[in-house]
Amino acid sequence: MNPRLRALHDAGVSVWLDDLSRARLASGNLAELIAGSSVTGVTTNPTIFAAAFADLSLYGDQLARLAAAPLDVAIREMMAADVKDACRLFAPVFDASAGYDGRVSIEVEPGLAYDADATIAQAAELCDLVGEPGVLVKIPATRPGLAAIRATIAAGISVNVTLIFSLERYREVMDAYLGGLEDALAAGRDLGTIHSVASFFVSRVDTEVDARLEAIGTPEALALRGRAAVANARAAFGAYLEVFGGDRFAALAAHGANRQRPLWASTGTKNPAYPDTLYVAELIAAPCVNTMPEKTLLAFADHGDVALDTITSAIPAALSDLSALAQVGVDYADVVAHLEDDGVAKFIASWDELVASVRAARVR
Protein backbone atom coordinates (compact mmCIF):
# COMPACT_ATOMS: atom_id res chain seq x y z
CA MET A 1 0.00 0.00 0.00
CA ASN A 2 1.42 3.40 -0.96
CA PRO A 3 2.32 5.10 2.35
CA ARG A 4 1.40 8.66 1.28
CA LEU A 5 -2.02 7.72 -0.03
CA ARG A 6 -2.59 5.52 3.00
CA ALA A 7 -1.70 8.44 5.27
CA LEU A 8 -4.15 10.64 3.36
CA HIS A 9 -6.86 8.01 3.86
CA ASP A 10 -5.98 7.72 7.55
CA ALA A 11 -6.26 11.52 7.89
CA GLY A 12 -9.93 11.17 6.98
CA VAL A 13 -9.86 11.88 3.24
CA SER A 14 -11.45 9.26 1.00
CA VAL A 15 -9.26 8.83 -2.08
CA TRP A 16 -11.39 8.48 -5.21
CA LEU A 17 -10.22 8.24 -8.79
CA ASP A 18 -11.71 10.70 -11.26
CA ASP A 19 -11.78 8.32 -14.20
CA LEU A 20 -13.43 5.13 -15.42
CA SER A 21 -13.28 3.14 -18.63
CA ARG A 22 -13.90 -0.41 -19.72
CA ALA A 23 -10.22 -0.64 -20.58
CA ARG A 24 -9.25 0.30 -17.03
CA LEU A 25 -11.62 -2.35 -15.70
CA ALA A 26 -10.56 -5.07 -18.15
CA SER A 27 -6.83 -4.51 -17.63
CA GLY A 28 -7.06 -4.87 -13.87
CA ASN A 29 -5.72 -1.35 -13.36
CA LEU A 30 -8.62 -0.24 -11.18
CA ALA A 31 -8.27 -3.35 -9.03
CA GLU A 32 -4.57 -2.52 -8.62
CA LEU A 33 -5.38 1.01 -7.51
CA ILE A 34 -7.83 -0.33 -4.92
CA ALA A 35 -5.25 -2.77 -3.60
CA GLY A 36 -2.17 -0.56 -3.69
CA SER A 37 -3.25 3.09 -3.69
CA SER A 38 -6.07 3.31 -1.11
CA VAL A 39 -8.58 4.16 -3.86
CA THR A 40 -12.05 3.69 -2.38
CA GLY A 41 -14.30 5.14 -5.08
CA VAL A 42 -14.60 6.44 -8.63
CA THR A 43 -16.24 9.47 -10.18
CA THR A 44 -17.21 9.89 -13.82
CA ASN A 45 -18.66 12.63 -15.99
CA PRO A 46 -19.54 13.08 -19.67
CA THR A 47 -15.98 14.17 -20.50
CA ILE A 48 -14.53 11.00 -18.96
CA PHE A 49 -16.97 8.75 -20.81
CA ALA A 50 -16.35 10.61 -24.09
CA ALA A 51 -12.66 9.80 -23.70
CA ALA A 52 -13.40 6.18 -22.77
CA PHE A 53 -15.71 5.69 -25.76
CA ALA A 54 -13.17 7.18 -28.17
CA ASP A 55 -11.89 3.60 -28.42
CA LEU A 56 -15.04 1.56 -28.91
CA SER A 57 -13.22 -1.74 -29.40
CA LEU A 58 -14.29 -3.01 -25.97
CA TYR A 59 -17.86 -1.82 -26.46
CA GLY A 60 -18.51 -3.39 -29.87
CA ASP A 61 -20.45 -6.45 -28.73
CA GLN A 62 -22.72 -4.46 -26.43
CA LEU A 63 -23.23 -1.78 -29.05
CA ALA A 64 -24.28 -4.47 -31.55
CA ARG A 65 -26.82 -5.85 -29.06
CA LEU A 66 -28.21 -2.34 -28.67
CA ALA A 67 -28.45 -1.69 -32.40
CA ALA A 68 -32.22 -1.19 -32.29
CA ALA A 69 -32.18 1.07 -29.24
CA PRO A 70 -32.30 4.87 -29.50
CA LEU A 71 -28.80 6.32 -29.40
CA ASP A 72 -29.16 7.99 -26.01
CA VAL A 73 -30.56 4.79 -24.51
CA ALA A 74 -27.64 2.76 -25.89
CA ILE A 75 -25.15 5.22 -24.43
CA ARG A 76 -26.76 5.09 -21.00
CA GLU A 77 -26.77 1.28 -21.12
CA MET A 78 -23.06 1.17 -21.92
CA MET A 79 -22.18 3.72 -19.23
CA ALA A 80 -24.29 1.84 -16.70
CA ALA A 81 -22.54 -1.43 -17.54
CA ASP A 82 -19.14 0.08 -16.71
CA VAL A 83 -20.45 1.63 -13.50
CA LYS A 84 -22.09 -1.68 -12.51
CA ASP A 85 -18.80 -3.55 -13.00
CA ALA A 86 -16.92 -0.91 -11.00
CA CYS A 87 -19.49 -1.09 -8.20
CA ARG A 88 -19.01 -4.85 -8.02
CA LEU A 89 -15.25 -4.37 -7.87
CA PHE A 90 -15.69 -1.95 -4.97
CA ALA A 91 -18.25 -4.14 -3.19
CA PRO A 92 -15.83 -5.25 -0.43
CA VAL A 93 -15.01 -1.59 0.29
CA PHE A 94 -18.69 -0.70 0.26
CA ASP A 95 -19.57 -3.52 2.65
CA ALA A 96 -16.65 -2.88 5.02
CA SER A 97 -17.51 0.83 5.28
CA ALA A 98 -21.31 0.34 5.44
CA GLY A 99 -21.70 2.35 2.24
CA TYR A 100 -19.49 5.25 3.29
CA ASP A 101 -17.02 4.38 0.52
CA GLY A 102 -16.96 1.92 -2.37
CA ARG A 103 -18.93 4.44 -4.42
CA VAL A 104 -19.12 4.88 -8.20
CA SER A 105 -20.82 7.87 -9.82
CA ILE A 106 -22.85 8.10 -13.01
CA GLU A 107 -24.13 11.46 -14.27
CA VAL A 108 -27.46 12.43 -15.71
CA GLU A 109 -27.31 13.75 -19.27
CA PRO A 110 -25.92 17.32 -19.03
CA GLY A 111 -28.53 18.69 -21.41
CA LEU A 112 -31.05 18.12 -18.61
CA ALA A 113 -29.21 20.43 -16.19
CA TYR A 114 -31.96 23.05 -16.29
CA ASP A 115 -34.90 20.62 -16.38
CA ALA A 116 -35.72 19.37 -12.89
CA ASP A 117 -38.46 16.91 -13.85
CA ALA A 118 -36.38 15.25 -16.57
CA THR A 119 -33.41 15.05 -14.21
CA ILE A 120 -35.51 13.36 -11.52
CA ALA A 121 -36.78 10.80 -14.02
CA GLN A 122 -33.34 10.03 -15.45
CA ALA A 123 -31.74 9.80 -12.01
CA ALA A 124 -34.20 7.02 -11.14
CA GLU A 125 -33.58 5.34 -14.49
CA LEU A 126 -29.79 5.38 -14.03
CA CYS A 127 -30.08 4.01 -10.50
CA ASP A 128 -32.20 1.13 -11.81
CA LEU A 129 -29.89 0.52 -14.79
CA VAL A 130 -26.82 0.15 -12.58
CA GLY A 131 -28.75 -1.79 -9.96
CA GLU A 132 -25.95 -1.78 -7.39
CA PRO A 133 -26.08 -0.22 -3.91
CA GLY A 134 -22.75 1.56 -4.44
CA VAL A 135 -23.99 3.81 -7.23
CA LEU A 136 -24.16 7.58 -6.79
CA VAL A 137 -26.21 9.50 -9.34
CA LYS A 138 -24.58 12.81 -10.25
CA ILE A 139 -26.87 15.83 -10.54
CA PRO A 140 -25.51 19.29 -11.41
CA ALA A 141 -26.08 21.99 -8.80
CA THR A 142 -27.89 24.38 -11.12
CA ARG A 143 -30.83 26.23 -9.62
CA PRO A 144 -33.36 23.80 -11.22
CA GLY A 145 -31.07 20.99 -10.11
CA LEU A 146 -31.74 21.81 -6.46
CA ALA A 147 -35.33 20.59 -6.72
CA ALA A 148 -34.14 17.45 -8.49
CA ILE A 149 -31.57 16.80 -5.76
CA ARG A 150 -34.20 17.06 -3.04
CA ALA A 151 -36.67 14.83 -4.85
CA THR A 152 -34.03 12.21 -5.70
CA ILE A 153 -32.80 12.04 -2.11
CA ALA A 154 -36.42 11.83 -0.94
CA ALA A 155 -36.86 8.81 -3.21
CA GLY A 156 -34.03 7.05 -1.38
CA ILE A 157 -31.44 7.43 -4.16
CA SER A 158 -27.90 8.40 -3.16
CA VAL A 159 -26.61 11.49 -4.96
CA ASN A 160 -23.32 13.08 -5.94
CA VAL A 161 -24.14 16.77 -6.37
CA THR A 162 -21.73 18.15 -8.96
CA LEU A 163 -20.56 21.46 -10.45
CA ILE A 164 -20.64 23.44 -7.21
CA PHE A 165 -18.56 26.62 -7.34
CA SER A 166 -20.16 29.16 -5.02
CA LEU A 167 -20.59 29.25 -1.27
CA GLU A 168 -24.19 30.40 -1.65
CA ARG A 169 -25.04 27.51 -3.98
CA TYR A 170 -23.28 25.07 -1.68
CA ARG A 171 -25.52 26.15 1.19
CA GLU A 172 -28.53 25.64 -1.09
CA VAL A 173 -27.23 22.15 -1.93
CA MET A 174 -26.95 21.25 1.74
CA ASP A 175 -30.46 22.59 2.29
CA ALA A 176 -31.76 20.45 -0.60
CA TYR A 177 -30.09 17.37 0.89
CA LEU A 178 -31.55 17.96 4.34
CA GLY A 179 -34.95 18.68 2.81
CA GLY A 180 -34.74 15.43 0.88
CA LEU A 181 -33.90 13.53 4.05
CA GLU A 182 -36.84 15.13 5.83
CA ASP A 183 -39.13 14.11 2.97
CA ALA A 184 -37.68 10.59 3.02
CA LEU A 185 -38.23 10.32 6.75
CA ALA A 186 -41.84 11.46 6.37
CA ALA A 187 -42.30 8.73 3.74
CA GLY A 188 -40.97 6.09 6.12
CA ARG A 189 -37.63 5.46 4.34
CA ASP A 190 -34.52 4.19 6.09
CA LEU A 191 -32.26 7.25 6.19
CA GLY A 192 -29.21 5.13 6.90
CA THR A 193 -29.22 3.80 3.33
CA ILE A 194 -29.08 7.29 1.77
CA HIS A 195 -25.66 8.81 1.15
CA SER A 196 -24.50 11.93 -0.63
CA VAL A 197 -21.40 13.91 -1.49
CA ALA A 198 -21.26 17.54 -2.63
CA SER A 199 -18.65 18.03 -5.35
CA PHE A 200 -17.09 21.44 -4.84
CA PHE A 201 -14.88 22.31 -7.83
CA VAL A 202 -11.45 23.67 -7.04
CA SER A 203 -8.81 24.27 -9.73
CA ARG A 204 -11.16 25.97 -12.18
CA VAL A 205 -11.64 28.75 -9.62
CA ASP A 206 -7.92 29.59 -9.68
CA THR A 207 -7.84 29.47 -13.47
CA GLU A 208 -10.66 32.02 -13.75
CA VAL A 209 -9.68 34.23 -10.82
CA ASP A 210 -5.98 34.32 -11.72
CA ALA A 211 -6.85 35.55 -15.20
CA ARG A 212 -8.89 38.36 -13.69
CA LEU A 213 -6.17 39.23 -11.19
CA GLU A 214 -3.61 39.43 -13.99
CA ALA A 215 -5.95 41.67 -15.99
CA ILE A 216 -6.22 44.00 -12.97
CA GLY A 217 -2.44 43.88 -12.70
CA THR A 218 -1.85 45.77 -9.45
CA PRO A 219 0.71 44.40 -6.96
CA GLU A 220 -2.12 43.71 -4.51
CA ALA A 221 -4.04 41.76 -7.14
CA LEU A 222 -1.06 39.76 -8.37
CA ALA A 223 -0.19 38.78 -4.79
CA LEU A 224 -3.51 36.91 -4.58
CA ARG A 225 -2.86 34.55 -7.50
CA GLY A 226 -3.18 30.88 -6.63
CA ARG A 227 -5.09 31.52 -3.40
CA ALA A 228 -8.73 31.77 -4.44
CA ALA A 229 -9.48 28.09 -5.08
CA VAL A 230 -8.16 26.79 -1.77
CA ALA A 231 -9.75 29.71 0.09
CA ASN A 232 -13.12 29.01 -1.55
CA ALA A 233 -12.96 25.31 -0.65
CA ARG A 234 -11.88 26.00 2.92
CA ALA A 235 -14.72 28.48 3.35
CA ALA A 236 -17.08 25.81 2.01
CA PHE A 237 -15.81 23.40 4.66
CA GLY A 238 -16.60 26.02 7.28
CA ALA A 239 -20.18 26.13 5.96
CA TYR A 240 -20.28 22.32 6.09
CA LEU A 241 -19.20 22.32 9.76
CA GLU A 242 -21.89 24.87 10.59
CA VAL A 243 -24.75 23.11 8.80
CA PHE A 244 -23.95 19.54 9.84
CA GLY A 245 -23.14 20.63 13.37
CA GLY A 246 -26.57 22.21 13.70
CA ASP A 247 -29.89 21.17 15.19
CA ARG A 248 -31.57 20.43 11.86
CA PHE A 249 -29.14 17.68 10.96
CA ALA A 250 -28.97 16.43 14.55
CA ALA A 251 -32.70 15.69 14.39
CA LEU A 252 -32.16 13.66 11.23
CA ALA A 253 -29.06 11.94 12.58
CA ALA A 254 -31.20 10.64 15.42
CA HIS A 255 -33.03 8.66 12.74
CA GLY A 256 -29.80 7.31 11.20
CA ALA A 257 -29.09 10.02 8.61
CA ASN A 258 -25.61 10.33 7.10
CA ARG A 259 -23.75 13.58 6.60
CA GLN A 260 -23.38 14.86 3.06
CA ARG A 261 -19.60 14.86 2.73
CA PRO A 262 -17.68 17.61 0.92
CA LEU A 263 -15.93 16.25 -2.16
CA TRP A 264 -13.06 18.21 -3.70
CA ALA A 265 -13.37 17.91 -7.48
CA SER A 266 -11.23 19.30 -10.30
CA THR A 267 -8.12 18.79 -8.17
CA GLY A 268 -5.60 18.43 -10.98
CA THR A 269 -3.33 21.48 -10.98
CA LYS A 270 -3.76 23.37 -14.25
CA ASN A 271 -1.06 26.01 -13.70
CA PRO A 272 2.41 24.41 -13.95
CA ALA A 273 3.76 27.12 -11.65
CA TYR A 274 1.78 25.61 -8.76
CA PRO A 275 2.67 22.37 -6.95
CA ASP A 276 1.05 19.39 -8.65
CA THR A 277 -0.36 18.22 -5.30
CA LEU A 278 -1.66 21.66 -4.23
CA TYR A 279 -5.37 20.84 -4.24
CA VAL A 280 -4.82 17.65 -2.27
CA ALA A 281 -2.29 18.71 0.36
CA GLU A 282 -4.08 21.97 1.18
CA LEU A 283 -7.52 20.34 1.52
CA ILE A 284 -7.07 17.62 4.13
CA ALA A 285 -9.77 17.17 6.77
CA ALA A 286 -12.21 14.51 7.88
CA PRO A 287 -14.68 13.58 6.47
CA CYS A 288 -13.80 14.82 2.98
CA VAL A 289 -13.41 13.09 -0.37
CA ASN A 290 -10.77 14.06 -2.92
CA THR A 291 -11.44 12.73 -6.41
CA MET A 292 -8.23 12.94 -8.41
CA PRO A 293 -7.21 12.46 -12.03
CA GLU A 294 -4.70 9.62 -12.23
CA LYS A 295 -1.85 12.08 -12.85
CA THR A 296 -2.58 13.84 -9.55
CA LEU A 297 -3.03 10.54 -7.73
CA LEU A 298 0.37 9.34 -8.91
CA ALA A 299 2.01 12.67 -8.05
CA PHE A 300 0.68 12.55 -4.51
CA ALA A 301 1.74 8.93 -4.18
CA ASP A 302 5.25 9.98 -5.17
CA HIS A 303 5.79 13.17 -3.16
CA GLY A 304 2.60 14.33 -1.42
CA ASP A 305 2.77 15.70 2.11
CA VAL A 306 0.08 14.75 4.61
CA ALA A 307 -0.92 16.80 7.63
CA LEU A 308 -3.78 15.78 9.90
CA ASP A 309 -5.92 18.82 9.01
CA THR A 310 -4.96 21.62 6.63
CA ILE A 311 -8.42 23.18 6.48
CA THR A 312 -10.14 23.85 9.79
CA SER A 313 -7.66 26.24 11.42
CA ALA A 314 -7.19 28.03 8.08
CA ILE A 315 -10.87 28.92 7.57
CA PRO A 316 -10.54 32.50 8.99
CA ALA A 317 -7.59 33.19 6.67
CA ALA A 318 -9.58 31.75 3.76
CA LEU A 319 -12.43 34.17 4.41
CA SER A 320 -9.89 37.01 4.54
CA ASP A 321 -8.50 35.95 1.15
CA LEU A 322 -11.99 36.00 -0.37
CA SER A 323 -12.55 39.48 1.06
CA ALA A 324 -9.21 40.60 -0.37
CA LEU A 325 -10.31 39.47 -3.83
CA ALA A 326 -13.32 41.75 -3.64
CA GLN A 327 -11.14 44.62 -2.46
CA VAL A 328 -8.89 44.41 -5.53
CA GLY A 329 -11.89 44.27 -7.88
CA VAL A 330 -12.67 40.58 -8.48
CA ASP A 331 -16.44 40.03 -8.63
CA TYR A 332 -16.91 36.69 -6.85
CA ALA A 333 -20.56 36.34 -7.87
CA ASP A 334 -19.67 36.84 -11.52
CA VAL A 335 -16.78 34.36 -11.30
CA VAL A 336 -18.87 31.52 -9.89
CA ALA A 337 -21.84 32.19 -12.18
CA HIS A 338 -19.52 32.06 -15.19
CA LEU A 339 -17.90 28.85 -13.96
CA GLU A 340 -21.26 27.13 -13.46
CA ASP A 341 -22.49 28.09 -16.94
CA ASP A 342 -19.16 27.12 -18.49
CA GLY A 343 -19.10 23.80 -16.61
CA VAL A 344 -22.52 22.80 -17.92
CA ALA A 345 -21.57 23.91 -21.45
CA LYS A 346 -18.36 21.85 -21.39
CA PHE A 347 -20.20 18.74 -20.25
CA ILE A 348 -22.83 19.23 -22.97
CA ALA A 349 -20.03 19.50 -25.53
CA SER A 350 -18.49 16.29 -24.21
CA TRP A 351 -21.87 14.55 -24.37
CA ASP A 352 -22.28 15.68 -27.98
CA GLU A 353 -18.81 14.29 -28.74
CA LEU A 354 -19.80 11.02 -27.09
CA VAL A 355 -23.02 10.80 -29.11
CA ALA A 356 -21.13 11.51 -32.35
CA SER A 357 -18.56 8.79 -31.69
CA VAL A 358 -21.20 6.16 -30.90
CA ARG A 359 -23.31 7.19 -33.90
CA ALA A 360 -20.27 6.84 -36.16
CA ALA A 361 -19.48 3.41 -34.71
CA ARG A 362 -23.00 2.21 -35.48
CA VAL A 363 -22.62 2.83 -39.21
CA ARG A 364 -19.21 1.18 -39.62
Side-chain angles (χ1 to χ4, degrees):
M1 184 67 69
N2 180 272
R4 291 183 173 87
L5 292 170
R6 183 67 200 183
L8 184 63
H9 176 274
D10 291 346
V13 178
S14 293
V15 178
W16 291 6
L17 178 70
D18 192 28
D19 189 59
L20 181 64
S21 67
R22 198 160 293 186
R24 190 183 288 280
L25 287 161
S27 68
N29 172 263
L30 183 56
E32 291 171 2
L33 292 173
I34 295 169
S37 298
S38 297
V39 170
T40 59
V42 162
T43 52
T44 66
N45 59 46
T47 301
I48 287 170
F49 273 120
F53 285 19
D55 177 7
L56 283 164
S57 60
L58 291 174
Y59 297 90
D61 290 345
Q62 187 180 14
L63 188 59
R65 292 195 301 272
L66 294 166
L71 197 60
D72 61 330
V73 173
I75 290 169
R76 288 197 293 275
E77 291 272 4
M78 290 190 291
M79 291 193 303
D82 285 358
V83 171
K84 179 190 287 286
D85 287 346
C87 283
R88 289 174 174 172
L89 192 60
F90 278 107
V93 177
F94 179 92
D95 292 340
S97 65
Y100 182 85
D101 275 322
R103 293 286 178 172
V104 185
S105 296
I106 185 169
E107 187 157 348
V108 297
E109 184 179 337
L112 306 180
Y114 301 105
D115 186 333
D117 290 341
T119 295
I120 293 165
Q122 192 170 104
E125 177 191 357
L126 291 172
C127 185
D128 288 343
L129 275 176
V130 176
E132 294 290 333
V135 68
L136 288 173
V137 178
K138 289 182 81 172
I139 298 176
T142 58
R143 190 161 295 283
L146 296 170
I149 292 158
R150 178 168 182 158
T152 303
I153 291 293
I157 297 171
S158 296
V159 174
N160 177 343
V161 183
T162 189
L163 286 178
I164 308 171
F165 295 96
S166 82
L167 296 170
E168 179 183 6
R169 184 56 52 80
Y170 179 43
R171 285 186 177 275
E172 292 173 337
V173 165
M174 290 187 285
D175 180 71
Y177 175 64
L178 295 178
L181 290 178
E182 289 161 348
D183 295 343
L185 180 62
R189 297 191 186 280
D190 179 359
L191 299 191
T193 65
I194 304 171
H195 288 258
S196 182
V197 294
S199 293
F200 202 86
F201 278 51
V202 184
S203 67
R204 297 186 195 185
V205 174
D206 269 344
T207 300
E208 181 64 25
V209 170
D210 284 0
R212 298 188 186 209
L213 292 170
E214 288 165 5
I216 294 167
T218 63
E220 294 82 5
L222 296 177
L224 291 169
R225 287 178 295 182
R227 290 161 61 179
V230 168
N232 199 38
R234 286 172 170 170
F237 191 73
Y240 160 81
L241 291 175
E242 177 188 333
V243 170
F244 286 95
D247 292 342
R248 187 180 179 191
F249 177 71
L252 291 162
H255 294 278
N258 299 293
R259 292 173 178 241
Q260 182 186 57
R261 289 185 288 161
L263 180 151
W264 311 127
S266 184
T267 55
T269 307
K270 294 178 173 59
N271 187 333
Y274 300 155
D276 55 3
T277 61
L278 174 66
Y279 304 122
V280 182
E282 297 299 315
L283 295 174
I284 298 174
C288 294
V289 181
N290 196 306
T291 184
M292 310 176 208
E294 187 173 32
K295 181 179 178 181
T296 303
L297 182 81
L298 295 175
F300 200 88
D302 180 68
H303 53 266
D305 291 323
V306 177
L308 291 180
D309 187 328
T310 58
I311 300 179
T312 306
S313 64
I315 291 171
L319 295 172
S320 294
D321 280 348
L322 294 178
S323 295
L325 289 171
Q327 290 167 10
V328 300
V330 173
D331 185 338
Y332 176 87
D334 186 68
V335 167
V336 294
H338 166 75
L339 288 171
E340 180 182 304
D341 291 343
D342 185 60
V344 172
K346 285 178 176 176
F347 281 169
I348 290 174
S350 295
W351 180 267
D352 291 344
E353 177 187 339
L354 172 58
V355 170
S357 67
V358 175
R359 180 183 290 114
R362 274 188 161 182
V363 300
R364 287 175 191 162

